Amino acid sequence: EYKIPQPIDIESRDKETILPLFTKKMQGDSYYYAVPKRSPLTFLVCKTKADKELLSGPLNVYFGGRYIGKTYLSEKKAGEEFHLSLGADREVMVKREKLKDKIKETYFGKIQRGTIVRELAYKIMVENLKDRSILLKVLDSIPVSKTDKIEVKDLKINPEPAKKNYLDKEGVMLWEYKLDPEQKQEISIEFVVTYPKGLLPMGL
């Protein structure tokens, strides 16, 4: 049971009625989040804490008076951190480009006949077009072999990520940058994958 803080009018109809119960301000830290392998968009995220227990349920998200979308909030205990996406922001640019994809098939030598040797190189460019500094987190990954038939080697990453195997996910890397206005940052990733002909690795 909830006590409504003010008189309200409810239509007589056979449908649910959404009622405002209270308004609460919560402190939080914002940052930008990009996964250029999956999307060319960068998203503004707010990290906050529940000041008291929050029950699970659907959540409508508004930012700057604009409706962002609907999500689902799982139950949160008092003091538990959670993140809210506040929508895409086109003033923080991100672009992932494939620079090299060189394939050759071996017929002799130290590598088994019929093996594909594939050299790949990627470049990620990020740029802050805002008139203020921002915190940006960039997520990317390299393929991880789950069988001895596939080998990933000669890995070169510049600059080194802040965290490898992020959130205990093998091959996932996280970079964190504080970008000043109009500042750019470049990330390069190179590696070689060898695999049998006809067995194409996922995630390339």
Side-chain angles (χ1 to χ4, degrees), residues 16-31:
E16 291 183 349
T17 300
I18 299 177
L19 305 174
L21 293 178
F22 60 87
T23 300
K24 177 190 295 186
K25 290 186 178 181
M26 301 174 66
Q27 297 295 323
D29 297 317
S30 62
Y31 62 90

Side-chain angles (χ1 to χ4, degrees), residues 148-165:
D148 56 4
K149 294 181 180 180
I150 300 174
E151 183 182 7
V152 181
K153 59 183 182 180
D154 298 339
L155 177 63
K156 299 177 183 176
I157 305 174
N158 185 37
E160 285 289 316
K163 296 179 183 178
K164 294 182 178 180
N165 300 328

Side-chain angles (χ1 to χ4, degrees), residues 136-149:
L136 174 63
K137 298 185 179 184
V138 181
L139 213 64
D140 207 276
S141 63
I142 59 169
V144 176
S145 176
K146 302 295 184 180
T147 171
D148 56 4
K149 294 181 180 180

Side-chain angles (χ1 to χ4, degrees), residues 174-192:
L174 174 72
W175 290 264
E176 294 182 332
Y177 296 108
K178 183 176 181 182
L179 295 179
D180 293 328
E182 299 184 1
Q183 183 179 354
K184 298 179 181 180
Q185 180 66 48
E186 180 178 315
I187 301 169
S188 63
I189 304 172
E190 298 180 41
F191 55 89
V192 176

Side-chain angles (χ1 to χ4, degrees), residues 12-169:
S12 178
R13 58 178 184 171
D14 189 22
K15 291 184 178 180
E16 291 183 349
T17 300
I18 299 177
L19 305 174
L21 293 178
F22 60 87
T23 300
K24 177 190 295 186
K25 290 186 178 181
M26 301 174 66
Q27 297 295 323
D29 297 317
S30 62
Y31 62 90
Y32 291 85
Y33 187 79
V35 188
K37 195 173 186 178
R38 296 288 181 88
S39 171
L41 298 175
T42 303
F43 296 88
L44 177 61
V45 178
C46 178
K47 181 178 73 172
T48 185
K49 287 184 179 180
D51 59 346
K52 59 178 64 177
E53 184 179 11
L54 297 176
L55 300 180
S56 60
L59 181 69
N60 292 323
V61 181
Y62 293 83
F63 180 65
R66 181 170 60 94
Y67 176 69
I68 301 298
K70 180 177 288 187
T71 185
Y72 188 86
L73 182 68
S74 58
E75 185 176 351
K76 304 297 178 186
K77 298 179 181 178
E80 182 178 355
E81 284 188 350
F82 62 98
H83 299 73
L84 288 175
S85 176
L86 301 179
D89 192 324
R90 300 185 184 277
E91 291 187 331
V92 182
M93 304 292 293
V94 59
K95 181 180 180 182
R96 188 178 193 266
E97 182 181 359
K98 182 185 288 186
L99 301 179
K100 181 196 296 184
D101 191 350
K102 185 178 179 182
I103 301 176
K104 64 179 180 179
E105 183 177 349
T106 60
Y107 296 95
F108 55 85
K110 295 181 180 180
I111 303 177
Q112 185 177 355
R113 180 182 298 181
T115 297
I116 302 297
V117 178
R118 192 169 177 181
E119 300 177 18
L120 293 120
Y122 296 91
K123 178 177 72 173
I124 300 172
M125 288 291 299
V126 295
E127 182 179 4
N128 178 19
L129 301 179
K130 292 183 172 295
D131 57 2
R132 58 180 175 82
S133 299
I134 63 166
L135 175 63
L136 174 63
K137 298 185 179 184
V138 181
L139 213 64
D140 207 276
S141 63
I142 59 169
V144 176
S145 176
K146 302 295 184 180
T147 171
D148 56 4
K149 294 181 180 180
I150 300 174
E151 183 182 7
V152 181
K153 59 183 182 180
D154 298 339
L155 177 63
K156 299 177 183 176
I157 305 174
N158 185 37
E160 285 289 316
K163 296 179 183 178
K164 294 182 178 180
N165 300 328
Y166 181 59
L167 297 178
D168 295 325
K169 295 181 179 180

